[in-house]
Amino acid sequence: MTVVPAAGSGTVSTTCPYCGVGCGVLATPQPDGTVAIAGDPEHPANFGRLCSKGAALGETLSLEGRLLHPEIHDARVGWDEALDHVAKRFSATIAEHGPDAVAFYGSGQLLTEDYYVLNKLMKGFIGAANLDTNSRLCMASSVAGHKRAFGSDTVPVDYTDLEAADLVVLVGANLGWCHPVLYQRIVAARARRPDMRVVLIDPRRTATTDGADLHLPIAPDGDSALFVGLLRHLAATAALDAGYVGRHTRGLAEALAAAAPWDVARVATATGLDAEDIAAFYRLFAATERVVTVYSQGVNQSASGTDKVNAIINCHLATGRIGRPGMGPFSVTGQPNAMGGREVGGLANMLAAHMDFTAEAIDRVGRFWGAPALARQPGLKAVDLFKALGRGEIKAIWIMATNPVVSLPEADAVRAALAACPFVVVSDMNRHTDTMELAHVRLPAAGWGEKDGTVTNSERRISRQRPFLPLPGEARPDWWIVTEVAARMGHGAAFAYRGPADIFAEHVALSGFENNGSRDFDLSGLAGADYEALAPVQWPVRSGTAGRMFGDGRFFTPDGRARLVPIAPPPPFVPVPGRLRLNTGRVRDHWHTLTRTGKSARLSAHFAEPFVEIHPADAAAHGIRRASLVRLTSRHGEALVRALVTERQQRGQLFAPMHWTEQFASSGRIGALIAGRTDPVSGQPALKMAEVSIEPARMALYGFLVMRERPVLATDYWAIAPATGGWRAELGFGSEPPDWPAFLATLFGTAAEPQSIADARTGRRAYALLDAGRLRAALWVSPDPVLVARSWAAGLLSEAGLTASAVLAGRPGADRPDGGAIVCSCMGVGINTIVDAVTRQGCTSVDAVGALTRAGTNCGSCRAEIRSVLDANRLVAAE
Ligand code: SF4
């Protein structure tokens, strides 16, 4: 692995590049070129805590796989040539076909300064609004819901409200895995305040279920019905705040009229929930003043996501539970700077600085930017944008820091559209992504640790991301790349920034320009602030304004009143016979399309291949055995993944993570299965709602491979992950390779003579190639899913003094316990160690397991999994 040269000594205060919690990170380059990572104890998002992903950031900084030089048509070129080419092709396309024939597709990974100049170039100087981002996939429904209710895209809650609440309702949010530090703050608050209650509303039993007093395993898309029914219940039990409603809202009568038919019985039918559980939740909500309702992708990623958001907000407005400590609706974002993108206007339906395409805002922004051709109407949202690309209406696209060939729905159609597009530019830090493969021009962008700018987290807190590494090769910051292209397109004067501080200053100025309190987003109090020293700060930041959003009951609608929105829940979903409902999401230790976390052996050890969770009864009905391979098929594509048979899933439903790409697996792109159905208001795709068929993928042989060098794999199924000192791979062979020795030679080399064993009765074989007691490669194959102690086998790559017989055995000797699959990434503790602590050593609590094994004693992200082992043991003991 390449060691990254350190920029210099000293600790740099920066921000985690993963989820929307936005934890502060202290990065300290070490003399050996590595970087020590720690949580920033001063940062108000995390007060020193990091989750498993954040703690492993130092393991993701190698230059392996980096794009280090610009390329045109696979040939290395200089920056001038690349930038001239991009500017020329975009200008020519605009001249010939008009500004709507070009598009930018950005990312919640971009810093606010990157986003700002991108938005300014497209909307101000190209004169179109075809700039959308992968944040459309993440939280667009929350934006739309906020705007319908508040007249502005305002998140009205702080993290401290979660700790002050007496009831936290988590809707469609697996916080335990996806926002772990925030979840740990709730867990800690609960430990301090035993009366605090947590309700989880989620179709799946997840890591977050562990910390909930009540889990409502709701039917997919049942959320609107549940909260419409709640509004009805609140009215029926005199739990509304008539004074607040009268002074600060409009629309209650209409919302209640829409809710009238939704009694508990009807809600139970629509949600699949037990009527008693629904009633218990309603009673708890009605009786608790300080309630925070947290929602995330389970709400947003739906064809009715905006209605779900408003159904939730309605309940808070109707009870006046907003704008005060410990209460409010709270959309938590998935990405580190989804919020910053929203702030600059980096979505196709926004103009700039939380202003829409109104005549007044168009005039104002046009004057501020001195823009000659300001866009006058919204552009195409992500799914529509790529459909227009497929129809040939968009003829040039620039994709930045994202991987739409993996993450968008109908991902195969997205790939075909890009393949047919006359001009595709991709700027990214990685040379090899599924999207980068289709680029005509590749631009090397700076990565985390090299970038300099700001991000905004889920609670509207702006933090600095500061560089602590030098720019490698010819990589450049995104803002620089955009401004250089803008200059070459003839707009140099408007993009003459010396650095991100200049851009931020302009962003601040625009936020306050002719604002006077009329717009929520206002940073004017930061004018002249020391950018380098900028401490985490929550907006709005304007003189004479203090306190929380909506604390005064004033909203950003024309009359200052919030709007309750009448909601008609969608009809129940009726699946096609034989099909199952596929839900998608994240796993604990991986991030998006594995471009960073896929570099860490530690993080990859938790889940090392793509999988689908299926209920045991569904597995039996479809002839699917544990750990076998299965084929998922929809109208749009297919995927080949491992079956994880578990009662966490409800019957009729599946769950698959969205992370795997063709760089890491033969066919693990889950986006290929999902229809491009979107919410009619927000344009957010229903990524949690695919209909798929599932069937066993019959394999003649299965294999598990560990190797020092990354192998080139071409078996019918393969999935590769890093291991300490090399790589590990799962293999599947549809049929026995006709020339087995030739196949082995592709792995071990033609001159190699691996030692082997074979069992003619079971068909199991194993091969090992050692070099002076160190393992170069080993392969175990079997007609059944291979029984190899994987953590042990992967660990052999970094051991000395090995013998072939010890390796070929496929599991450690009796003198050395097999820790099993990794549960605690921070401390490297496996499932077998935890089971042993519970079943043989008598541990009866998560803390006791931690004291014995150290599992769960660092970031806490794995404590729910430890709890499930304890619960399973209690069940066994009770039987
Ligand atoms: S919770 Fe984890 S992934 Fe999210 S910002 Fe904090 S350290 Fe990063």
Side-chain angles (χ1 to χ4, degrees), residues 16-23 49-51 53-55 178-182:
C16 176
Y18 295 127
C19 81
V21 179
C23 296
R49 271 190 179 276
L50 292 176
C51 75
K53 289 187 290 290
C178 302
H179 298 85
V181 167
L182 204 51

Side-chain angles (χ1 to χ4, degrees), residues 17 32 211 360-361 489 551 555 561 637 684 703 712 827:
D32 65 357
E360 189 186 7
M489 291 177 75
F555 296 85
R561 290 168 179 253
Q684 179 152 358
V712 176
M827 298 301 174

Side-chain angles (χ1 to χ4, degrees), residues 31 50 84 107 153 217 241 267 291 308 339 359 457 556 623 642 653 713 719 800 804 839 841:
L50 292 176
D84 285 345
S107 162
D153 175 23
D241 184 337
V267 172
V291 183
K308 292 184 188 185
M339 291 284 278
N457 73 1
F556 292 92
R642 187 75 60 181
Q653 298 178 29
L713 299 171
T839 57
Q841 315 280 344

Side-chain angles (χ1 to χ4, degrees), residues 550-568:
F550 309 142
D552 58 1
R554 283 186 53 248
F555 296 85
F556 292 92
T557 53
D559 60 8
R561 290 168 179 253
R563 300 288 190 271
L564 284 92
V565 180
I567 301 298

Side-chain angles (χ1 to χ4, degrees), residues 753-757 766-780 792 796 800-811:
E753 292 183 6
Q755 298 184 59
S756 63
I757 54 170
Y767 305 84
L769 186 65
L770 285 89
D771 182 0
R774 300 191 76 99
L775 185 63
R776 281 176 54 193
L779 172 67
W780 296 265
W792 164 84
L796 296 177
L802 296 170
T803 63
S805 59
V807 173
L808 293 169
R811 55 189 55 256

